[in-house]
Each structure stands twice: as structure tokens, then as C-alpha cells.
Amino acid sequence: MSRPPVLDPLFRSLSSIKGVGPQLSALLARFFGAPEGQEAVVLDLLLHMPSGIVDRRRMDGAANTYVGHIATLRLHVDRHQPPPRGKPHVPHRVFTHDETGEVQLVFFRAQGGWVERALPVGEERFVSGTIGFFNGEKQITHPDYIVPVEDFEKLPLVEPVYPLTHGLAAKALTKLVGQALGSVPQLPEWIPPERFAGGNWPGFREAIGMVHRPESPSQGDLGGPARMRLAYDEYFAGQLALMMVRSEVVTARGVSRMLTGEITTRVEAALPFSLTDGQRQAIAEIRADLVHPDRMSRLLQGDVGSGKTVVALMTMAAMAESGAQSALMAPTELLAAQHYRTLKPLCDAVGLGIELLTGKMAAGERRAALAGIASGETSIVVGTHALFQSGVAFANLGLTVVDEQHRFGVHQRLALSEKGRDTDLLVMTATPIPRTLVLTHFGDMAVSVLRQKPAGRQPIDTAVLSISDYDRIVARLKARIEAGAQAYWVTPLVEESEVLDIVSAEDRYAELQKVFGERVSLVHGRMSAAAKQKAMHDFSAGRTSLLVATTVIEVGVDVPNATIMIIEHAERFGLAQLHQLRGRVGRGSGRSACLLLYKGGLSPTAEARLETIRKSEDGFEIAEKDLELRGQGDLLGTRQSGMPGYRLAVPDVHRHLLQLAHDDAAAALARNPGLVGPEGEALRVLIHLFRKDMAIPLIRAG
Ligand code: ADP
Ligand code: MG
């Protein structure tokens, strides 16, 4: 069902905005997490929430300002003092005053005479910035704003501050948001009147305006009416979509599969190990689903390294017994290829046809693979979710397995349920999710859990250290690497950050190259797929010993010989993410170590969090502890991984709205399952607005 036309202005691509060229457009697409190859749209700007507010309303005169505070002053320009010739490090000073006192404006490396032009001697200007103090004088270094008196209107007295990225300046972003605000249409109200009455909430358009152009700092407050309303909207859209899928899943008729046990027995015999009790139990639950006439929709939860892949293989083998094919989908091509490499020998051993489908296969290879899939000769197809988008024709697809890690979300599952409409569905996730959260994110599914790790796993020695021990840490690492070990070194960022004092993967790589030379390689999300693949291959083949990476490696990289995990700025990662990262080691039989490096003083909460990781390796225990320490927060790790998560709702603040949205969604769908009439139209607008429209095809007539 197509998008309601009223939303068209919000879904225009950003390159249609004045001042957005191809380069900026690409940067914004990455920044807003637009799917590969797609542009970001106007809506992405509007849903990019400020992280804070700058208050420039203090205008009491130069003498009444406080050092460290932001003030806006109407200043008379008295004289300029440019740096002496040949001393470019000396700043350019401008002496000014108002009726209360004097203040100096200071500019470092000001070239081209722009300071003189912006502040002509003898004239008045409004100047806004942070008050500093130097040599007994009040001063403003690099004022944020200098505007002529008649342009006072242009000076934002209450200014939202946005999360930024390298190459995107605050003023540029603010300007873009301003343009985007002009295209917000008046939308029909989708919030049920009962809910509205208590909340004194503004309409959607008004709320977006209040957040991006607040008249007072409190208008943008997380707990204020505007943000509350927007958070509710986001939850409401999500709950509607989830319930639509759920009812579809429950009512979808599946196929009762005939399982002979013939192939699964051979697969089990071909495994180089025996299954754990947990694996046996999960497989039994899955087999019961397959035999049952309802469609299977099951979540397999298990920590990193708990052995989910084998469970998937046994499920796919059971499917093959019943004469149907399976698709195994990974979040990245890298992971798909890795799954294929793991499964291929086992499949070969028992005569199960398996194919890998990727975007960059040669045409001939691809044709051959497609032929095998169409004829039914191939029982298992491994790929990314592009598998379903590219119109691959299956002879008889019976099962979709999604290796979700935590990159996928409801959105992907919706896409699946549309394409693989009648297939059984198994979703595997490595994120240990406490019971309450399972309900909100995976409420449509039955759950199997792998709690125990395969026997023979060595515990991981985890230590928390300050980065000030860098030299000692590197020396020890060097000794281990010379003895044949392999290690990961993870940082939170790709490139150097202007705003934050955080070391980036690129910096650390350059630094470590001085010690390890050719033995170190780099992988991060901004690299081309080919370059990533090469870096990973070099590492897994042992050609390099140290892999500097951003969290791209969090998702499923498997190098058993890697026994050391070093995480820099560990204080900046979520607990779930630290746990995932640590799970990259301890996979082989060797003893493994994990170093959590932090910078500066740790807050008590940060300390408690790192201590939790140090003491426990049980993902469920860690997840519960995380919940206790800071609420739902970023437990699913979605904020960093850019997938689905919430953009407007901040669970720590808005959690209580989820239950309301849940109840309202259930009531709305019960009242109006076909989403008809004005109410239905408004709900459709909401669902499209939050891009949950994959659920729309599932609306049942009347
Ligand atoms: P994950 O749940 O993270 O996907 P994997 O399926 O990749 O875990 O399994 C991690 C490792 O454990 C693999 O090398 C796999 O071969 C091994 N493994 C899985 N099941 C068992 C088992 N029952 N006994 C011993 N090793 C196992
Ligand atoms: Mg896995």
C-alpha cells in the first residue's frame, strides 16, 4: 500500500534541499543510517533529536556576566589589535564595551581581514559566546555569533545542540533542520482523544517545531510535552506494526512437516562434537514446531559462542528431510560467507546441497547457483536479506533462518514475513534479552534459550585498566604476539573526533603500526566491503596478528586462534556490547584474556558497569544487571549499531509510555482492524511516518 501523499514532503531526498550536494548527501545518509545505496530524506533531519540546549538569553551587560557562562551582549567596537607581524600565534584582539563594562573578543589564526569586517570600529554588534577570563580581563574567545544590531532576530537565543559527525558542522546542520521544518505538513491526529486529554500534548507538527526551535530551554525537555508526545508516537507506531505482524503470524497457516530423522541423524554423526543439553532441548522445541500445523515463529536466544549455528543446521537438515528448502540470512555478506564456510563441509559430508549467494558473484556462478535453487537440488541457501529482495526463485522454500545478532529488527522481520510469507521462521539473536524486553521487541515469537556454553570452553580473564598504562600493555601484548597469539584492539570511533577526546581506530592503528608494523591490520565500517574482507581474511589466516577495529567485529567474526580482546574507551560501550565483543575470544581451547581500557576518572556507575563485565561471563546476568544499573537504555546495543532502536523515545525517560502505546494499539486494532475511515487513515500516516509500513500489507480486509 503506498504512502499517504500528505507525507511526500517528508520523504523527499535530502539532496533536494538547497545547499546539499552529493558529498554532503552521502555523509548524511551514512550519519542517519540510511540503508546501503539510499539517500537520507527530509524526515531524517526532523527525527534527529537535539542532545541539549544552549541558552543565550542572559543579556544583562558585560559587567554582569559570569566566567564559563554563555552571554549575549550588545557591544560597541573600540579598536582592533591584530597579531604583530611574523607572530601568527598571538591572537587578534578586539576591544569592546557596553554601558556596564569592557570585554575583549579574541580570535586565533584569524586571516583575510574577516574579523575587521565583522566588527567595524565605531559600530555596534550583538555578540554571543562563552565568557572567559585572561590576565584580569573578561573575554570571549571565538564568539558563537556576531550579528548587526538590526539582525538581532537571526540570533538564536535558545539554541538546540545536535549530535554531530566528522565533516558536519553544527551551524550547517541547524540550517538544514530549519529548512526541513518548513516542509512539515499538518498531519491528521492519530493519538486517541482519551490519551490526549491527560497529556496536554501538542500536535505532531507543533511538537517537532518545539524541539528544533524551542522558545524556552524547557520546551525541548525529555520529560516535557513535546518530547513525550513524540516518544509516544514512536512507540505507538512500533506497537501497531508489531501487533499486525503478530496477528498475521498467529493466523498464518503453516505446513505440518514430516520429519524422518534421516538427514539430521547423519548431520549429528558428522559433527566433531556432541550436542549440549541446551542444543538438544532447542532442537526438540523446534522439531515440535515444525511438525505442528501452525507456522513456526521462534526466537533462539544464546550468548555469543553458545552454538546457535549447529541448531540452525539441524533445523535446516530437518527441513530438507521434509523435502523443503531453507534460507539462512546473515546481517552482512562477511557473516554470510563465514556461515557458508562453516556449514559447507558438514553439508558435503551428508550430501546436503548448499549455496552461498552474494552481491558480487560472477554472473555465471550466480546463474548456476540460482538454477540449483530453482530446481530444488540446493537445500540450503546462505546470504543476506538481499536474498529476498532480488527475486530469487525457490523450488520449495519452507524455512527462513535469520541470524540477527542484533543488527536486524522488527523491520526486517516484517520484510521477511511478507516475502517468505508461508515459511517457518527461526530468528537467532546473540543479545541476551531479559524477559520484559522480549515482550516488547519479540512479542510475536516463541523463545528457546541456549544458556550453557559448549563444554571445554576456557573462562576469559578480564581486567580493567587505565589507558595510562599504554606502554606496559603494548609491551605485554608484544610478548604474547611474538609467542603466536592473535588479538583484537577495538575503539569506538573510525576517525578522529573534533568534539570528543576519544582515540579513533585510525589513530590507534597508526600508533600500533609503529610497534607491530605489517602484523597489524585495520577494519572499520567506512571501508569498502572488499577492503574489510581482505583485512578479516589476513587476520583469520594468521597473516596479521593484531586487528584494530571498530565495533564491526562485534557481529559474528570467528577466529578461534584470537585469544586477546582489548577494548579501548570501554567506559563508552554498553554492557551488552562489551559482552558481545569479549565473546569474540575464548572460542578456541587456549586461555583468553580481555582488557577493558578506560580513560580518565570513572564515574561510580561506569565503574560498577565495568566491574559487572569483569566478574561475570553470563550474558543473562549481565543483561539483568545492566537493566538494574540504568534502565532499558541501550541494552539492545541499537544506538551504536544504528539499527532499529528508537530515535525519539529515550527508554530511560519514556518507558512508561510504552505500556500506554501498547494498550492503545491493541484497542485501535481491535476497534478497526482494517484501518478504515479517518481514524484508520491517521494510523496509516503514523505507520508510514515511522517507516513501519512493511506491516501495512498485513492489514486484513475489514
Ligand atoms: P554462536 O551461538 O555465537 O553462533 P557458534 O554456533 O558460532 O556460536 O558456535 C561457537 C563455536 O562453538 C563454534 O566453533 C562451534 O563449532 C562450537 N560448538 C558448537 N556447539 C558445540 C558443542 N556442542 N560442543 C563443542 N563445541 C561446539
Ligand atoms: Mg553465530
Side-chain angles (χ1 to χ4, degrees):
M1 198 154 304
S2 58
R3 182 193 324 134
V6 65
L7 291 175
D8 287 350
L10 298 179
F11 284 87
R12 274 187 303 132
S13 81
L14 281 183
S15 52
S16 72
I17 290 191
K18 212 171 85 209
V20 181
Q23 209 177 348
L24 182 54
S25 161
L27 180 108
L28 292 168
R30 269 203 315 267
F31 185 45
F32 292 133
E36 287 281 310
Q38 284 183 31
E39 287 191 281
V41 298
V42 171
L43 182 64
D44 290 311
L45 276 175
L46 297 168
L47 300 188
H48 187 56
M49 291 288 109
S51 51
I53 296 270
V54 175
D55 187 353
R56 309 187 177 282
R57 292 175 305 166
R58 280 203 78 97
M59 301 183 52
D60 311 336
N64 305 314
T65 54
Y66 296 93
V67 173
H69 287 213
I70 289 179
T72 300
L73 302 169
R74 180 175 177 151
L75 297 173
H76 183 90
V77 181
D78 299 319
R79 71 183 168 93
H80 281 253
Q81 187 187 82
R85 200 184 276 272
K87 297 205 164 171
H89 296 293
V90 175
H92 182 130
R93 286 182 186 275
V94 184
F95 296 82
T96 71
H97 76 274
D98 63 11
E99 63 269 30
T100 68
E102 296 182 342
V103 62
Q104 293 178 18
L105 307 179
V106 180
F107 301 86
F108 287 89
R109 306 186 158 276
Q111 277 157 12
W114 71 267
V115 177
E116 283 87 347
R117 283 194 297 280
L119 295 159
V121 172
E123 293 193 18
E124 280 191 330
R125 290 289 183 270
F126 277 105
V127 174
S128 185
T130 307
I131 304 294
F133 199 68
F134 185 72
N135 270 351
E137 306 283 348
K138 274 192 181 157
Q139 62 176 38
I140 301 179
T141 304
H142 295 171
D144 303 324
Y145 290 92
I146 302 173
V147 301
V149 173
E150 63 273 18
D151 286 347
F152 178 68
E153 292 285 287
K154 292 189 184 155
L155 204 161
L157 290 181
V158 179
E159 187 180 39
V161 185
Y162 296 96
L164 296 173
T165 184
H166 193 64
L168 181 63
K171 280 197 183 156
L173 179 60
T174 304
K175 213 158 136 194
L176 291 177
V177 171
Q179 293 191 53
L181 279 174
S183 47
V184 188
Q186 193 66 48
L187 300 176
E189 185 52 73
W190 48 76
I191 301 186
E194 322 75 272
R195 189 61 66 210
F196 225 61
N200 70 353
W201 287 344
F204 177 80
R205 181 175 157 182
E206 208 185 334
I208 286 281
M210 285 164 76
V211 165
H212 291 295
R213 287 285 180 276
E215 281 164 15
S216 70
S218 65
Q219 277 198 341
D221 279 353
L222 282 179
R227 285 298 299 264
M228 294 277 268
R229 186 223 147 98
L230 295 174
Y232 172 92
D233 286 345
E234 187 169 38
Y235 283 139
F236 192 30
Q239 289 297 309
L240 284 166
L242 194 58
M243 284 177 199
M244 284 151 100
V245 182
R246 186 178 317 170
S247 67
E248 168 76 3
V249 169
V250 171
T251 53
R253 280 206 57 81
V255 176
S256 176
R257 312 279 173 189
M258 293 275 295
L259 306 183
T260 61
E262 196 252 327
I263 302 181
T264 41
T265 312
R266 277 190 284 143
V267 170
E268 197 177 336
L271 294 174
F273 45 71
S274 55
L275 295 169
T276 64
D277 291 345
Q279 285 168 328
R280 279 179 212 288
Q281 161 101 28
I283 291 166
E285 286 163 358
I286 289 167
R287 292 179 73 94
D289 284 353
L290 296 182
V291 169
H292 198 274
D294 282 347
R295 181 179 175 212
M296 171 166 85
S297 177
R298 185 168 284 276
L299 180 69
L300 176 62
Q301 263 190 285
D303 234 331
V304 170
S306 60
K308 295 183 292 294
T309 315
V310 175
V311 176
L313 176 60
M314 290 290 281
T315 308
M316 297 189 290
M319 230 41 214
E321 279 169 19
S322 80
Q325 293 166 298
S326 302
L328 171 58
M329 304 208 291
T332 63
E333 296 216 330
L334 199 88
L335 274 171
Q338 194 165 292
H339 272 315
Y340 178 74
R341 277 199 302 276
T342 310
L343 297 176
K344 174 83 169 138
L346 287 164
C347 288
D348 285 351
V350 302
L352 264 179
I354 181 167
E355 288 287 354
L356 173 68
L357 268 190
T358 69
K360 44 184 179 301
M361 288 169 85
E365 245 182 319
R366 187 175 172 84
R367 244 192 328 272
L370 289 176
I373 297 166
S375 72
E377 202 177 303
T378 300
S379 298
I380 298 175
V381 184
V382 184
T384 65
H385 63 286
L387 255 187
F388 276 165
Q389 287 159 4
S390 56
V392 179
F394 289 88
N396 176 20
L397 181 66
L399 170 73
T400 307
V401 180
V402 182
D403 189 4
E404 179 165 77
Q405 303 294 343
H406 49 232
R407 290 282 160 138
F408 283 13
V410 173
H411 199 75
Q412 276 72 11
R413 244 173 302 138
L414 295 170
L416 291 184
S417 54
E418 199 198 341
K419 285 281 188 178
R421 206 146 178 150
D422 304 318
T423 72
D424 288 308
L425 178 63
L426 179 67
V427 177
M428 306 195 285
T429 171
T431 310
I433 313 170
R435 192 69 211 144
T436 46
L437 293 189
V438 168
L439 285 178
T440 57
H441 291 267
F442 301 91
D444 50 329
M445 313 189 87
V447 181
S448 295
V449 180
L450 296 182
R451 249 203 124 112
Q452 124 220 68
K453 295 239 173 125
R457 230 18 102 62
Q458 299 272 358
I460 302 169
D461 298 318
T462 302
V464 178
L465 295 170
S466 163
I467 187 68
S468 55
D469 281 331
Y470 180 79
D471 290 340
R472 206 164 53 86
I473 292 162
V474 170
R476 263 167 51 192
L477 180 62
K478 187 153 185 271
R480 295 282 297 269
I481 281 181
E482 275 162 7
Q486 284 183 289
Y488 300 98
W489 191 302
V490 178
T491 73
L493 295 177
V494 177
E495 295 165 6
E496 182 193 344
S497 155
E498 282 180 354
V499 221
L500 303 164
D501 184 20
I502 298 175
V503 72
S504 70
E506 283 171 349
D507 293 346
R508 187 50 79 214
Y509 173 64
E511 207 47 48
L512 288 167
Q513 257 184 334
K514 291 182 195 154
V515 181
F516 297 99
E518 299 279 280
R519 302 297 298 167
V520 50
S521 47
L522 173 69
V523 61
H524 61 66
R526 300 253 182 99
M527 286 162 58
S528 71
K532 268 191 265 190
Q533 199 111 18
K534 174 166 187 324
M536 290 305 312
H537 269 148
D538 284 350
F539 186 67
S540 60
R543 282 189 292 275
T544 55
S545 305
L546 181 58
L547 185 67
V548 178
T550 54
T551 52
V552 287
I553 64 149
E554 171 191 353
V555 181
V557 170
D558 197 4
V559 181
N561 189 49
T563 51
I564 303 170
M565 168 63 67
I566 298 176
I567 305 174
E568 189 160 0
H569 290 293
E571 75 279 6
R572 302 192 57 89
F573 289 91
L575 283 193
Q577 218 176 3
L578 289 175
H579 178 63
Q580 298 272 346
L581 285 168
R582 179 173 56 183
R584 298 293 123 216
V585 297
R587 305 202 131 203
S589 47
R591 190 141 182 118
S592 292
C594 173
L595 301 185
L596 305 173
L597 306 184
Y598 63 89
K599 180 165 184 184
L602 281 180
S603 72
T605 322
E607 201 176 320
R609 293 172 57 227
L610 294 185
E611 189 58 15
T612 301
I613 294 282
R614 195 186 66 74
K615 285 210 297 244
S616 175
E617 273 189 61
D618 179 337
F620 288 89
E621 189 183 321
I622 289 169
E624 297 290 351
K625 187 76 189 172
D626 198 18
L627 200 59
E628 193 181 302
L629 281 173
R630 55 193 201 115
Q632 289 187 48
D634 196 20
L635 191 59
L636 297 177
T638 46
R639 229 168 284 159
Q640 285 100 339
S641 62
M643 276 315 275
Y646 295 112
R647 296 173 99 161
L648 306 183
V650 179
D652 288 346
V653 180
H654 300 129
R655 193 175 349 188
H656 64 288
L657 296 171
L658 180 59
Q659 185 67 47
L660 306 184
H662 173 92
D663 297 348
D664 294 346
L669 288 176
R671 200 162 53 227
N672 188 353
L675 300 190
V676 295
E679 182 199 32
E681 189 51 40
L683 293 173
R684 281 167 204 257
V685 168
L686 172 69
I687 291 168
H688 278 278
L689 186 64
F690 285 96
R691 295 193 177 89
K692 306 285 186 197
D693 41 297
M694 294 290 192
I696 298 259
L698 304 178
I699 295 170
R700 273 161 307 144

